[in-house]
Amino acid sequence: MSTAATAAEDLNAIVQSAAERFARAATPAELENAKAQFLGKTGRVTELMKGMGSLSVEEKKTRGAAINQAKQAIEAALSARRQALADAELERQLQAEALDVTLPGRQRGQGGLHPISLAWQRIEQIFGGMGFDVGDGPEVENDWYNFTALNNPPNHPARSMQDTFYVDMNDEDGHPYCLRTHTSPMQIRYAVAHAKRHAAALARGEASEIRVIVPGRTYRVDNDATHSPMFHQVEGLWLGENVSFKDLKVTYLNFCKAFFETDDLILRFRPSYFPFTEPSAEIDIQFSSGPLAGKWLEVSGSGQVHPQVVRNMGLDPERFVGFAFGSGIDRLAMLRYGVNDLRLFFDGDIRFLSQFR
Ligand code: DAH
């Protein structure tokens, strides 16, 4: 074999061995190490170049060209392997960071009405269907409407049944402002606001009546599982020529049947005391089936409106006779939805509230 042929075989072997080393390199760092062994300062190809010094000009030409060719072949193998490693890395990343495009998208949570609002709306609807107007009045009340006009004068012991928050200010008549302890002051406000209508009807010799409910927020110094400093009541007032306890019973029973969506329900009056009614009664209801069956449940205060209260409305107690009631909306909602702690309504916990959507 000629020297030239041997030299060519050497070069082929080097190219071959470089290709194998590159193929074995599993990472870019290993590949760069392998490259140095062939193309680096002391690499095998570089050594061959250095060894050409003793050759003749003619030999240098052919040998140089052959070495260059081998070098190019090694560089081509190197960049092919680089590309292959880069592709593999990209593929690995794509796999690792893959998005599942079939997952459902994120949506805005669906809102809903608060259970107290739901109960409130039901109450308005049901009484609305029985011919009751729906009134609305101030939560910051003065002590005339909240107590005195309701036959509950200053220093009367019944005031202590309803401790409230006072505002450090009096109205123009010197009555202190307070947060209303019940919706009952709206009995007076509503009647006074409609005084002209009644006077006109009576002047025409016609009967006039008041039939209204007033749902709203009320406040007391109270805080436990069944009392909260802020709570909701609905006031009812029906005054006319001949409105009696019988009407109260029928009206309230029909309301409860509609509110609780059942006919399996009885109602009783239990004697009680309120300064603004005489006689006064608590209304209890009892279900004959369901989780609350057999228990008397107190749902409302009520009574025949006291003649003095009717006078404070600017009306003649001989012509305006009837009943009033005041029920806890929160209490009604607790019974309807089976909630045993009032505070759950006001914690604002979305896990609780979303059950009522
Ligand atoms: N205002 C009373 C309370 O909060 C409830 C009440 C009782 C209202 C009798 C009435 C009524 O209208 O006639 O305790």
Side-chain angles (χ1 to χ4, degrees):
M1 210 188 276
S2 73
T3 341
T6 322
E9 244 169 51
D10 277 359
L11 282 175
N12 281 341
I14 290 173
V15 172
Q16 180 72 31
S17 123
E20 281 164 13
R21 287 281 293 106
F22 294 165
R24 261 185 282 128
T27 65
E30 280 175 37
L31 185 59
E32 293 317 305
N33 280 339
K35 171 196 162 185
Q37 286 172 23
F38 294 91
L39 304 175
K41 268 189 195 146
T42 56
R44 289 169 69 182
V45 177
T46 319
E47 293 300 324
L48 289 178
M49 300 276 224
K50 286 180 191 162
M52 290 203 305
S54 54
L55 300 180
S56 69
V57 176
E58 205 49 36
E59 282 171 325
K60 270 186 189 158
K61 250 191 187 167
T62 42
R63 181 72 176 147
I67 293 176
N68 260 335
Q69 235 179 351
K71 195 179 166 190
Q72 278 164 17
I74 290 171
E75 275 167 351
L78 176 69
S79 67
R81 184 62 187 152
R82 270 194 190 130
Q83 190 59 50
L85 285 179
D87 288 350
E89 173 59 14
L90 182 63
E91 184 59 23
R92 194 195 60 74
Q93 269 183 18
L94 287 175
Q95 292 287 337
E97 294 162 15
L99 291 178
D100 182 351
V101 293
T102 66
L103 279 176
R106 272 182 215 152
Q107 290 167 347
R108 226 171 226 243
Q110 197 195 351
L113 285 180
H114 190 282
I116 299 295
S117 304
L118 292 172
W120 180 321
Q121 284 188 348
R122 273 185 87 68
I123 292 166
E124 288 190 2
Q125 252 164 26
I126 297 166
F127 279 107
M130 294 193 278
F132 282 75
D133 189 14
V134 176
D136 179 31
E139 289 170 30
V140 179
E141 195 38 287
N142 67 42
D143 110 316
W144 160 258
Y145 285 110
N146 194 78
F147 295 116
T148 316
L150 291 167
N151 209 22
N152 197 348
N155 304 319
H156 192 285
R159 282 214 181 188
S160 61
M161 286 159 62
Q162 300 184 356
D163 191 13
T164 186
F165 305 92
Y166 283 86
V167 179
D168 214 0
M169 206 169 90
N170 291 351
D171 70 4
E172 56 275 20
D173 297 325
H175 302 299
Y177 282 111
C178 61
L179 299 191
R180 66 178 177 191
T181 57
H182 48 180
T183 42
S184 302
M186 275 306 294
Q187 291 187 28
I188 313 286
R189 284 187 180 276
Y190 186 88
V192 168
H194 290 80
K196 277 198 185 130
R197 167 163 69 83
H198 304 306
L202 295 180
R204 289 194 304 268
E206 293 166 10
S208 189
E209 67 160 31
I210 292 177
R211 214 191 293 194
V212 66
I213 59 157
V214 183
R217 284 194 194 88
T218 47
Y219 303 83
R220 280 184 212 178
V221 181
D222 244 346
N223 202 8
D224 59 40
T226 51
H227 297 90
S228 131
M230 186 285 300
F231 57 107
H232 301 83
Q233 281 194 341
V234 55
E235 194 74 13
L237 177 66
W238 187 355
L239 293 178
E241 295 268 352
N242 281 310
V243 185
S244 72
F245 249 81
K246 186 183 70 191
D247 298 303
L248 169 58
K249 183 162 187 178
V250 171
T251 303
Y252 210 87
L253 186 62
N254 284 341
F255 160 69
C256 286
K257 286 180 174 175
F259 185 81
F260 293 108
E261 293 178 278
T262 178
D263 281 339
D264 283 345
L265 189 88
I266 50 173
L267 181 152
R268 77 174 180 193
F269 289 119
R270 190 160 36 84
S272 185
Y273 171 76
F274 298 101
F276 34 92
T277 44
E278 181 57 38
S280 304
E282 301 289 346
I283 301 177
D284 299 336
I285 55 167
Q286 188 179 119
F287 297 98
S288 50
S289 58
L292 299 167
K295 271 186 269 183
W296 283 112
L297 308 161
E298 184 181 318
V299 287
S300 190
S302 69
Q304 177 161 348
V305 181
H306 195 290
Q308 184 54 43
V309 173
V310 178
R311 254 175 245 121
N312 291 341
M313 292 170 176
L315 299 173
D316 176 0
E318 297 295 325
R319 311 201 62 159
F320 288 85
V321 181
F323 64 81
F325 61 84
S327 316
I329 297 181
D330 316 296
R331 173 103 177 114
L332 290 168
M334 284 171 82
L335 293 174
R336 177 170 159 84
Y337 298 116
V339 174
N340 58 11
D341 191 327
L342 175 68
R343 290 168 290 200
L344 286 168
F345 284 139
F346 308 124
D347 285 346
D349 188 328
I350 204 77
R351 291 166 302 179
F352 171 75
L353 296 175
S354 61
Q355 298 177 73
F356 300 92
R357 272 208 298 257

